[in-house]
Amino acid sequence: MKARILVVSLLFLFSVSIFADPFEDLLKSDWDKSQTLLIKNSVFQKLGQRAGSKEVLKITKNVIPWAILEGVTPEKTAELIVNLDFAVKEGLTFEEAEDAIPVVSKREISKEDFSYIGLYFKETKKAGIREEVRNRFVEAAMEKKWDGFSVLAGGRALIAGKLVDFPENRLASKILNQFPAKGRSIPFAKTETTFKAVLDSKLDGASTILLSNLKKLHEGEKVTSSQKFASARAVETSLEEVGGIVIGDRPRIEPLPDPPLVPNLPEPGEPTEPEKPAKETWETLSAPILQKVAKEWVGTPYKWANAAKTGTDCSGFTFRVLTDGRIGVPERMVSRASSAQTKMGTGVSHNEMRSGDLIFFSASPNQSKVTHVGMVLNGEEFAHASSTRGVVIDKIRMKWWLDRFVLSRRVFKKVVN
């Protein structure tokens, strides 16, 4: 009798939490029935009745574009929903936490580590660490099997280095070579010692705040409480001060011997290698040559925070095409970061796009936040690095891309066929 009551109760909870909520309406246009059921069941198993709450449903709605853009499985989609729900409960906003999605979407990661990585992105962005460096740093850290706490600690060391003018690109390499990989599970003293060592003990007052707050977060690992990251807000004033620093205003320390994390990305104020002679006529684009260059990349696998024929992400692909010798845009004019590429050239409308224009999209609920970029080949097609298919050519007017279009920028003054 008790067993029968238990079964009936479970069936009732299952029907209320899963089938009586808007999950199906949210998911049905993007996944088939079996996939939708798999996502719903997985979220329910991990969150129980909370799966039908307004908060989780909102997160689900916001995750869908990311899941499609990243090409993740239904199982991974459910995991993202659960991880983002945890991050929001810990004190991050969805928009802050979503920056962790590209680097973790193909990896197995705990919800705690996901939240630490979301906090890493929030802080390094606010402190003005260059996007190319912060993206490549976290990707390299994940390749080394770092946990989220070590990623956050490394990010704070980068920020502390900016306060005393350490070249951030080279400092990133030093941190990756010396920091402990599993900061959550070892005594904090080890992380603290390494933090000071990579900075040669040159810590600014704000750096001390970053380090002491990191210790509080580490101590918080020993207790179970919501809003664990709320204490991280204590460092936000310091981060804003760091973000306002312009490197070069003060005497620089001796350059670090470590190689740069991102090759050919000069530090502000440092001597750079002589740039290759620019193609004198680069502002006039040959459409056939652009198509030839772009198509040579088709099939290149996707690799986040990289820009090579062995693997590239979306902005790495557009960077390489634009700076290809046959196209000739000077490297100093092109960033590897999609957010910086939105500032190139002049704006054009969707209907005015032509060969050589950059086209930008967003998977974020904040539709002004660019999360993807492609290269327009002609009035009908664009090439881009897809996270599931590698570099491919798609139709500009596909509904999904139309719905996610943010802006386009014109780099070339003239196009010839």
Side-chain angles (χ1 to χ4, degrees):
M1 183 65 179
K2 289 182 179 179
R4 184 177 179 182
I5 292 172
L6 178 61
V7 170
V8 171
S9 299
L10 287 173
L11 287 173
F12 173 76
L13 285 174
F14 187 81
S15 63
V16 169
S17 300
I18 298 299
F19 296 108
D21 64 35
F23 248 100
E24 190 166 349
D25 288 336
L26 287 173
L27 300 171
K28 68 182 181 182
S29 62
D30 301 300
W31 284 276
D32 62 32
K33 189 173 181 178
S34 63
Q35 291 173 319
T36 298
L37 186 61
L38 179 60
I39 294 170
K40 291 192 296 185
N41 288 353
S42 181
V43 173
F44 173 74
Q45 288 171 5
K46 295 177 181 179
L47 299 182
Q49 288 185 316
R50 182 173 168 77
S53 69
K54 290 181 180 179
E55 294 81 7
V56 174
L57 291 173
K58 183 178 180 181
I59 287 170
T60 301
K61 181 180 180 180
N62 291 338
V63 163
I64 292 171
W66 274 109
I68 296 171
L69 182 64
E70 296 298 321
V72 299
T73 63
E75 294 92 337
K76 194 66 182 181
T77 300
E79 184 180 316
L80 286 175
I81 294 168
V82 172
N83 287 351
L84 281 154
D85 175 60
F86 179 82
V88 171
K89 286 193 296 181
E90 287 291 306
L92 294 173
T93 67
F94 181 92
E95 191 177 335
E96 290 166 348
E98 70 180 347
D99 289 331
I101 293 176
V103 73
V104 306
S105 63
K106 303 296 193 302
R107 293 182 165 102
E108 293 299 321
I109 187 171
S110 72
K111 59 183 184 290
E112 291 84 5
D113 285 340
F114 180 93
S115 295
Y116 276 119
I117 294 170
L119 187 57
Y120 160 87
F121 277 109
K122 173 185 177 179
E123 293 186 355
T124 52
K125 185 183 296 186
K126 179 164 283 191
I129 302 299
R130 285 179 288 179
E131 185 175 343
E132 301 96 319
V133 174
R134 67 174 185 256
N135 287 357
R136 186 70 196 101
F137 176 86
V138 71
E139 173 67 15
M142 297 305 289
E143 289 173 351
K144 288 175 171 284
K145 309 296 184 184
W146 282 23
D147 65 17
F149 184 85
S150 286
V151 170
L152 176 64
R156 289 193 175 184
L158 273 176
I159 294 167
K162 186 173 181 180
L163 285 161
V164 291
D165 276 355
F166 271 82
E168 65 184 38
N169 195 8
R170 293 179 180 274
L171 177 58
S173 295
K174 189 175 183 181
I175 294 168
L176 285 165
N177 288 332
Q178 296 188 30
F179 256 57
K182 304 297 180 184
R184 285 179 63 203
S185 56
I186 63 172
F188 181 74
K190 174 66 174 176
T191 298
E192 183 176 17
T193 299
T194 311
F195 190 103
K196 293 176 180 178
V198 295
L199 295 166
D200 298 336
S201 296
K202 295 180 172 69
L203 269 68
D204 182 275
S207 304
T208 304
I209 294 174
L210 291 172
L211 188 56
S212 63
N213 182 264
L214 197 63
K215 184 177 182 178
K216 289 181 182 178
L217 290 173
H218 190 272
E219 290 172 348
E221 287 293 317
K222 301 172 185 176
V223 296
T224 302
S225 63
S226 60
Q227 294 282 314
K228 182 193 303 178
F229 294 153
S231 65
R233 292 172 184 156
V235 306
E236 290 195 7
T237 300
S238 298
L239 295 173
E240 288 167 359
E241 291 173 358
V242 178
I245 292 173
V246 178
I247 298 298
D249 283 355
R250 305 185 302 282
R252 297 187 62 82
I253 62 168
E254 290 298 315
L256 296 170
D258 302 78
L261 178 66
V262 185
N264 304 319
L265 182 64
E267 302 288 350
E270 281 191 339
T272 59
E273 294 181 5
E275 188 174 343
K276 298 175 183 177
K279 183 181 175 184
E280 292 183 5
T281 58
W282 74 263
E283 291 182 303
T284 297
L285 173 70
S286 166
I289 290 178
L290 172 67
Q291 292 184 22
K292 177 178 174 60
V293 172
K295 288 178 180 178
E296 288 174 359
W297 282 80
V298 170
T300 298
Y302 183 88
K303 188 171 177 59
W304 191 72
N306 282 262
K309 284 283 180 71
T310 53
T312 184
D313 64 9
C314 60
S315 56
F317 165 68
T318 50
F319 171 83
R320 290 300 183 193
V321 170
L322 288 171
T323 58
D324 185 285
R326 292 163 290 179
I327 306 297
V329 180
E331 284 195 15
R332 59 183 167 77
M333 295 181 60
V334 189
S335 170
R336 297 187 193 183
S338 57
S339 60
Q341 290 180 8
T342 63
K343 298 175 176 61
M344 291 185 66
T346 56
V348 291
S349 71
H350 193 279
N351 293 332
E352 295 174 326
M353 288 189 299
R354 68 185 188 193
S355 298
D357 292 346
L358 293 171
I359 183 170
F360 299 90
F361 306 94
S362 178
S364 172
N366 175 3
Q367 284 293 281
S368 65
K369 180 180 178 179
V370 166
T371 61
H372 194 64
V373 60
M375 171 68 66
V376 176
L377 300 181
N378 52 58
E380 300 296 326
E381 298 174 316
F382 74 103
H384 65 112
S386 162
S387 61
T388 52
R389 298 173 289 156
V391 177
V392 293
I393 296 173
D394 275 336
K395 298 294 183 183
I396 288 173
R397 290 176 176 80
M398 286 175 59
K399 184 179 185 304
W400 197 88
W401 295 117
L402 284 171
D403 290 344
R404 292 288 148 187
F405 172 77
V406 178
L407 75 157
S408 52
R409 302 290 293 183
R410 177 148 298 159
V411 179
F412 302 96
K413 291 183 177 179
K414 183 179 179 181
V415 176
V416 295
N417 293 313

